[in-house]
Amino acid sequence: MCSSVKRLLPSSLNLPSNWREACTRALVPAGARMREWRDWVVENDPVYVSFRRPGRTEKIAASVTLLMILAVAIFLLLFDWNWLRGPIGRWASAKYDREIALQGDLDVTLFSWTPSVIVRDLKFGGPEWAREADTANVERIEAKFRLRKLFAGQIEMPLLAVTRPKVVLISTKDGRQSWDLEPNNPDTGEGLKLPLINQLVIEDGLISLDAQDRDITLEAAITAREAASAADGDTGFRLTGEGSVNGSPLTLRIEGGPFINIRRDRPYRFEATLAGARSRLVADGAITRPFDLGQFTSTLTLQGQDLNDLYLLTGVTLPNTPPYRLSGALTREDAIWTFTDFNGRVGASDLSGDVRVDAGQRLRVEAELASRMLDIDDLMAILGTDTRTNAAGTNTTTMASGSGPQRLLPDATLQVDRLRTMDGTLTYRAASVKANDLDIRTVRLGAVLEGGVLDLDPVSFAFNRGELNGTARINATRDMPYSTIDFRLAGYPLESIVPVRGGVAPITGRALGRARLEGQGNSIHRFAAGSKGSISLVVPQGELRAAFAELLGVNASAGLLKLLNGDQSRSSIRCAVADFEVTNGVARAKTFVVDTDVVLAQGSGSINLGTETLDLKIEGESKRPRLLRLWAPILVRGHLSAPSVGVDTSAVVVQAGLTGLLAAVVAPIAALFAFVEPGLAEDANCGSLIANAR
């Protein structure tokens, strides 16, 4: 033994001279102990002895065991499995709290490498709240199982054949689902996972869907068959249905190849088309692990009139938009859906990005979106403004409402119930913006929705010069949402507000502003109509055409002559401050001052955010003596979208009456004093006014 061990060792290994003696001392005692243990087992172990030399008792026990096995086999061969229909039905009915019955014959074949079971006339009733409609009725089910897989703890079915199944699926507005067998357990959002089925056959199947929570009804036929001959083209899996969604037509079509020789490592390809709610979704993909419906990949193309309509089909709350067409990669991994690398157009704007949807216990959506070129009117559609995109998809315009002035604040109702159904985050950036009246150049938006509260941060618009930044919060946890906004305007050029005439801007300068409002309302217009807070606008310095500066004081001698002579001289704006306090949607002027180097003008009045109308009065005082000065305040009235500017003629009448009195009582020359402006107005304290307004 030691010699054999030595031969196995490398020749380079130097063994001690007493190797053989040491090896013998180590191995011989071990071998002796093994022989002693074997001899003891042979002589003393009762189990070993009974097998080697069975006695009468062992022979009787073995005979009884064989007889029992034989009896069980004969019993199973002759057993009428129909006797178990009642017990199985009662057990299943109690477990799932609905009526379940095996009303036809039950056949079971056990002694085969592929045991099989055939169930006829299966009734699967609805839950207590939907007893009038059985969840499923099946004329015949035949299932075969691979025995060796069962021994390994796995289920693999060489055949599953279902004949004339009729399935009725009902979901209610409060979230109950008739097909949910464990309604008390939270929904994880994972897809249906079936055992591997090598061959699936479905004959004359019908599926009825009544989704009351989304106002969807659908009647669909389902078949799965293999070719009867080489010329048979009506093969494979097919589900086709028609119905309605929110009163409009709905169609569904899903097609795939025949379920023959299906393997886990071979993806099963399918095509699906869903059309309804002014939308059309087309998917071309594959189930990566057949019969695991929680795993698939596809190319998805979706188009329609408004992304908001997709809520009825997908359950995901999306904003109002112009017509859209998007295409990207749709992937599902159990409860996680991703729509990645998509691109396309929404209205006249391009849109690309990634969307991740977690359909677990509570729906969560995370989106990162971007546009290379944004049409600002497409963004206005998100706020609820009525827009229209031309047939070429190159231009979007806002539509006037009714025959009156166009409303500036959208009145589209916020769907607060949808905001409560999900959480999520959004980031959006427009790298550039098409030419627009406001001269917006880039846009950045961010949103976080948690527990029915929507936080918009940031809301940022960058202009050619200046920017508008702000935040907004919409609390949709109550029936009537409560919102707060805080927006700041920095450095916006006045020449972008007042158009250039004759190649020269009539007014220049940078505007600063802030709007802080809060209140109830389920639309932007209704929120503004009942809001409270403050609105301020400040021009720290600038320039104004001298003629207009004079007319702020209605100075006929200087202002009118400058206009008639085409004078383009400029007057400095020392400061302009408009500070309004808002109550119940009406902004009343606390401070309204325009201070130039020639005129100090002060205003009063209000702006009604509900009716979107102005009622402002501006009265000017000259800082220099003037001969012909009319005492007539300037009136700014009318709708915000088309205000009218005029003078208070009643003040002119009073001034004319005073002139007549002086001429009659004193002297004709004294009548001129009524038109004389002594020029006693002083400069306003601009620093204090600006500080208070901010």
Side-chain angles (χ1 to χ4, degrees):
M1 181 67 173
C2 291
S3 299
S4 301
V5 173
K6 185 176 182 181
R7 284 195 299 269
L8 295 174
L9 297 174
S11 58
S12 59
L13 183 62
N14 295 322
L15 298 174
S17 58
N18 61 344
W19 154 255
R20 183 179 298 277
E21 181 181 353
C23 177
T24 302
R25 284 199 306 269
L27 294 179
V28 170
R33 287 194 297 270
M34 290 295 296
R35 287 193 297 272
E36 290 176 2
W37 179 81
R38 183 197 63 190
D39 294 341
W40 184 90
V41 169
V42 171
E43 295 297 333
N44 299 285
D45 186 61
V47 177
Y48 181 82
V49 172
S50 64
F51 274 101
R52 289 291 303 271
R53 295 185 296 274
R56 185 171 180 273
T57 302
E58 287 78 9
K59 293 178 181 179
I60 293 174
S63 300
V64 171
T65 301
L66 291 174
L67 287 173
M68 290 181 64
I69 295 174
L70 182 61
V72 171
I74 295 174
F75 173 79
L76 293 176
L77 285 172
L78 302 178
F79 180 71
D80 187 354
W81 291 93
N82 288 320
W83 295 341
L84 295 181
R85 292 182 304 171
I88 293 174
R90 288 190 293 272
W91 170 83
S93 298
K95 179 176 178 60
Y96 298 114
D97 193 26
R98 62 182 71 207
E99 183 183 0
I100 299 176
L102 286 69
Q103 302 176 130
D105 290 339
L106 177 63
D107 295 331
V108 178
T109 301
L110 291 179
F111 299 99
S112 171
W113 290 112
T114 55
S116 65
V117 59
I118 298 177
V119 179
R120 295 177 178 85
D121 198 4
L122 171 65
K123 176 181 179 180
F124 202 93
E128 182 178 0
W129 53 269
R131 297 290 192 195
E132 69 281 358
D134 293 337
T135 299
N137 282 284
V138 186
E139 182 176 301
R140 185 179 184 274
I141 301 175
E142 179 180 0
K144 292 184 178 182
F145 304 88
R146 210 171 294 280
L147 188 61
R148 61 184 179 85
K149 291 290 185 179
L150 288 176
F151 286 151
Q154 303 174 5
I155 298 178
E156 183 175 322
M157 305 175 67
L159 172 66
L160 177 61
V162 185
T163 303
R164 280 185 278 279
K166 184 178 180 181
V167 179
V168 178
L169 307 175
I170 302 173
S171 63
T172 62
K173 293 182 178 180
D174 58 4
R176 294 178 297 176
Q177 299 171 332
S178 65
W179 62 89
D180 189 355
L181 301 181
E182 297 180 339
N184 295 325
N185 293 338
D187 185 7
T188 61
E190 296 184 358
L192 180 64
K193 293 176 172 58
L194 300 174
L196 180 60
I197 304 170
N198 300 131
Q199 182 180 5
L200 174 64
V201 178
I202 302 175
E203 296 183 12
D204 302 329
L206 296 175
I207 298 178
S208 296
L209 173 64
D210 182 10
Q212 301 167 10
D213 51 338
R214 299 183 195 172
D215 195 17
I216 294 177
T217 61
L218 181 70
E219 297 290 334
I222 179 172
T223 59
R225 59 188 295 268
E226 57 183 295
S229 65
D232 189 356
D234 189 17
T235 62
F237 175 82
R238 180 171 299 172
L239 187 153
T240 58
E242 296 182 352
S244 66
V245 51
N246 199 27
S248 64
L250 173 70
T251 60
L252 172 64
R253 187 178 186 88
I254 303 176
E255 293 183 343
F259 290 98
I260 302 175
N261 299 323
I262 301 297
R263 292 167 41 184
R264 285 289 192 197
D265 59 350
R266 183 183 302 164
Y268 175 79
R269 297 204 59 82
F270 70 90
E271 295 179 358
T273 302
L274 176 63
R278 304 191 303 167
S279 309
R280 180 180 177 86
L281 289 72
V282 179
D284 183 358
I287 300 175
T288 54
R289 290 175 55 85
F291 298 104
D292 182 354
L293 302 185
Q295 307 283 332
F296 71 79
T297 60
S298 69
T299 298
L300 175 66
T301 299
L302 58 156
Q303 64 184 89
Q305 297 301 308
D306 189 339
L307 278 171
N308 181 261
D309 295 332
L310 289 178
Y311 172 81
L312 298 172
L313 302 178
T314 66
V316 177
T317 301
L318 297 170
N320 295 102
T321 67
Y324 64 91
R325 180 182 176 86
L326 303 170
S327 181
L330 178 67
T331 302
R332 181 179 186 182
E333 295 184 5
D334 293 327
I336 306 300
W337 299 68
T338 57
F339 187 40
T340 56
D341 296 328
F342 72 83
N343 60 79
R345 302 195 70 80
V346 177
S349 307
D350 67 277
L351 184 67
S352 61
D354 301 312
V355 177
R356 181 181 184 272
V357 179
D358 185 346
Q361 297 183 17
R362 179 171 173 81
L363 188 66
R364 183 174 186 84
V365 179
E366 298 175 354
E368 296 182 4
L369 310 177
S371 296
R372 295 186 302 273
M373 178 68 74
L374 169 70
D375 188 320
I376 199 66
D377 287 329
D378 293 328
L379 192 62
M380 296 303 295
I382 293 177
L383 301 178
T385 300
D386 187 18
T387 62
R388 179 174 298 172
T389 305
N390 61 10
T394 57
N395 187 49
T396 299
T397 55
T398 58
M399 306 302 297
S401 56
S403 58
Q406 182 176 356
R407 189 184 298 276
L408 297 180
L409 300 177
D411 205 20
T413 301
L414 177 66
Q415 296 163 316
V416 293
D417 54 332
R418 298 185 181 183
L419 291 181
R420 302 187 194 115
T421 62
M422 56 175 275
D423 299 325
T425 61
L426 165 71
T427 62
Y428 172 77
R429 179 176 178 83
S432 59
V433 181
K434 290 183 179 180
N436 56 89
D437 294 338
L438 297 176
D439 204 17
I440 299 173
R441 299 300 177 91
T442 63
V443 176
R444 288 190 304 117
L445 300 174
V448 176
L449 176 62
E450 294 285 348
V453 178
L454 177 63
D455 285 302
L456 300 175
D457 184 12
V459 179
S460 178
F461 298 85
F463 307 99
N464 181 30
R465 288 175 292 170
E467 58 184 12
L468 174 68
N469 295 298
T471 62
R473 165 170 284 199
I474 302 174
N475 186 345
T477 58
R478 56 184 77 178
D479 291 338
M480 184 60 69
Y482 193 88
S483 304
T484 59
I485 65 170
D486 186 355
F487 286 91
R488 293 176 180 269
L489 179 68
Y492 191 75
L494 295 179
E495 51 267 37
S496 294
I497 302 176
V498 182
V500 175
R501 297 181 183 277
V504 179
I507 185 171
T508 60
R510 299 294 183 90
L512 308 174
R514 188 173 187 182
R516 289 176 290 180
L517 299 174
E518 61 178 286
Q520 295 188 105
N522 56 3
S523 73
I524 296 178
H525 177 257
R526 297 184 193 109
F527 159 73
S531 62
K532 63 180 180 179
S534 63
I535 300 174
S536 60
L537 184 67
V538 173
V539 179
Q541 58 185 4
E543 286 188 344
L544 178 67
R545 186 177 171 185
F548 294 146
E550 295 286 357
L551 289 176
L552 284 174
V554 194
N555 186 355
S557 63
L560 293 177
L561 289 176
K562 287 178 182 291
L563 283 176
L564 293 175
N565 294 331
D567 185 277
Q568 297 293 335
S569 62
R570 317 285 289 181
S571 291
S572 297
I573 299 176
R574 297 186 64 253
C575 65
V577 178
D579 190 12
F580 293 84
E581 181 178 7
V582 182
T583 304
N584 293 326
V586 178
R588 293 181 172 84
K590 293 195 305 179
T591 303
F592 194 168
V593 173
V594 180
D595 187 17
T596 71
D597 57 355
V598 293
V599 171
L600 173 65
Q602 300 189 63
S604 62
S606 64
I607 302 173
N608 192 314
L609 301 179
T611 59
E612 298 186 8
T613 55
L614 302 107
D615 186 7
L616 300 175
K617 178 188 291 187
I618 302 174
E619 299 179 273
E621 296 181 70
S622 179
K623 295 181 179 181
R624 302 171 185 175
R626 302 298 185 198
L627 177 60
L628 297 176
R629 192 258 186 184
L630 298 176
W631 296 338
I634 296 175
L635 302 180
V636 182
R637 292 175 175 173
H639 199 271
L640 286 172
S641 62
S644 61
V645 180
V647 296
D648 186 356
T649 56
S650 61
V652 177
V653 172
V654 172
Q655 187 178 10
L658 178 59
T659 301
L661 179 63
L662 290 174
V665 176
V666 184
I669 191 64
L672 295 177
F673 292 154
F675 294 93
V676 172
E677 169 60 60
L680 301 179
E682 298 181 355
D683 290 342
N685 188 346
C686 287
S688 176
L689 292 174
I690 293 174
N692 291 333
R694 291 182 181 178

